[in-house]
Amino acid sequence: MKDKEIIIAIDGHSSTGKSTVAKQLAKALQYIYVDTGAMYRAVTLYAMRKGYVDEFNFNQEKLENDLSLVSIKFELNKENGLAEAVLNGENVEREIRTLAVSKHVSKIAAVSLVRKKLVEQQHQMGKDKGIVMDGRDIGTVVFPNAELKLFMTATAKDRAERRFLELKDRGEDVTYEDVLKNVVNRDHIDSTRKDSPLRKAGDAIKIDNSNLSLEQQFEQILQLAKTTIRNS
Ligand code: DC
């Protein structure tokens, strides 16, 4: 008999490796993986391309008026087996990961109408369970009844170092100081915004991975997931 399927919500600060562990977990359990940050990033890219947001201005009203024109989907990359973000029919997986998008995404993610649209889509994606979803508000707002909730954190310095190496690897011309500033700034906006601020759900398990290897962290979380599935 197939095990009962559950919802696994993984929240936490930026660059804590949420998506790495969520992908590993989804693969091991044969669950669907949804990166909700990618959805907010794709809306941000749309707003940037339209000139609705830049360093100095943000025209929230124009973005809100356009929301019905913004379609975000995921498509499977057959080479690596991972889901990639598609904005209005265009694969934008690479572009949404740039520091330029990271610099604006928290402003866009603070807009209630944007959140409403994306949360509705996330509810649909999780309605049959068997899903690992990562983000900021999954355990608090999107799936408050998720069977397993994790809240991941690490020091800003550790997170910025990881993100800096990742961006460098991808050939981006960035400095460590810029990345650190972005990590700290996003933490601040994400956790102080009015709508669905980043916070740990009361029943989420906190994982500080500053001193854990990827393998140690994955093993720990996989055991938690298996125990939760068994007891559900
Ligand atoms: O996980 P990430 O760093 O790719 O997310 C990008 C931004 O999107 C993050 O700074 C906050 C926002 N976000 C959010 O507000 N709610 C989510 N569920 C996921 C991401």
Side-chain angles (χ1 to χ4, degrees):
M1 198 181 83
K2 200 167 186 300
D3 282 335
K4 183 164 179 270
E5 299 202 321
I6 63 168
I7 294 180
I8 302 177
I10 306 186
D11 292 303
H13 295 98
S14 42
S15 306
T16 38
K18 296 186 296 294
S19 62
T20 305
V21 82
K23 274 179 219 158
Q24 290 174 316
L25 201 53
K27 193 169 175 207
L29 300 171
Q30 293 187 300
Y31 275 22
I32 291 168
Y33 163 59
V34 178
D35 172 0
T36 63
M39 300 170 79
Y40 289 94
R41 286 173 179 273
V43 177
T44 304
L45 182 63
Y46 177 91
M48 287 165 70
R49 285 177 172 179
K50 285 280 188 177
Y52 297 163
V53 66
D54 61 30
E55 207 113 343
F56 310 104
N57 301 299
F58 172 32
N59 193 329
Q60 181 172 331
E61 205 180 317
K62 282 205 164 151
L63 176 63
E64 288 176 345
N65 287 336
D66 269 16
L67 279 179
S68 61
L69 308 174
V70 181
S71 145
I72 292 154
K73 298 204 170 112
F74 288 97
E75 73 183 8
L76 191 70
N77 175 331
K78 290 203 183 94
E79 269 166 39
N80 59 18
L82 296 175
E84 298 190 333
V86 175
L87 167 64
N88 290 342
E90 176 191 349
N91 185 315
V92 291
E93 183 60 29
R94 227 187 126 76
E95 213 173 330
I96 60 170
R97 307 290 166 191
T98 56
L99 188 58
V101 171
S102 298
K103 280 188 175 159
H104 299 304
V105 67
S106 288
K107 281 178 272 185
I108 306 293
V111 177
S112 288
L113 284 178
V114 170
R115 303 202 71 82
K116 186 166 177 284
K117 176 186 169 86
L118 298 187
V119 168
E120 271 168 24
Q121 200 176 339
Q122 290 153 14
H123 280 155
Q124 277 303 313
M125 291 166 155
K127 71 179 179 349
D128 297 327
K129 302 204 174 189
I131 196 164
V132 183
M133 195 174 270
D134 84 47
R136 302 293 187 288
D137 60 342
I138 311 306
T140 50
V141 173
V142 183
F143 292 117
N145 296 325
E147 288 85 350
L148 178 60
K149 299 181 189 178
L150 305 174
F151 188 86
M152 297 187 41
T153 187
T155 65
K157 199 172 138 284
D158 280 319
R159 292 184 281 129
E161 259 163 33
R162 274 185 227 152
R163 182 49 69 104
F164 173 66
L165 293 176
E166 244 174 65
L167 291 170
K168 276 294 222 204
D169 244 18
R170 275 194 245 133
E172 267 212 61
D173 183 20
V174 290
T175 64
Y176 168 75
E177 286 69 30
D178 247 5
V179 176
L180 179 63
K181 220 188 287 166
N182 178 253
V183 162
V184 172
N185 192 36
R186 278 205 285 151
D187 282 357
H188 177 71
I189 303 180
D190 294 345
S191 45
T192 54
R193 69 180 174 222
K194 277 212 189 76
D195 191 345
S196 317
L198 166 66
R199 62 177 178 81
K200 181 185 160 306
D203 52 352
I205 299 165
K206 185 168 163 183
I207 299 189
D208 184 330
N209 62 18
S210 301
N211 297 312
L212 285 181
S213 72
L214 277 181
E215 292 75 25
Q216 285 170 328
Q217 167 176 277
F218 177 59
E219 261 322 301
Q220 191 180 332
I221 293 175
L222 184 62
Q223 289 320 314
L224 275 173
K226 285 185 172 165
T227 309
T228 311
I229 291 171
R230 219 178 297 125
N231 296 336
S232 289

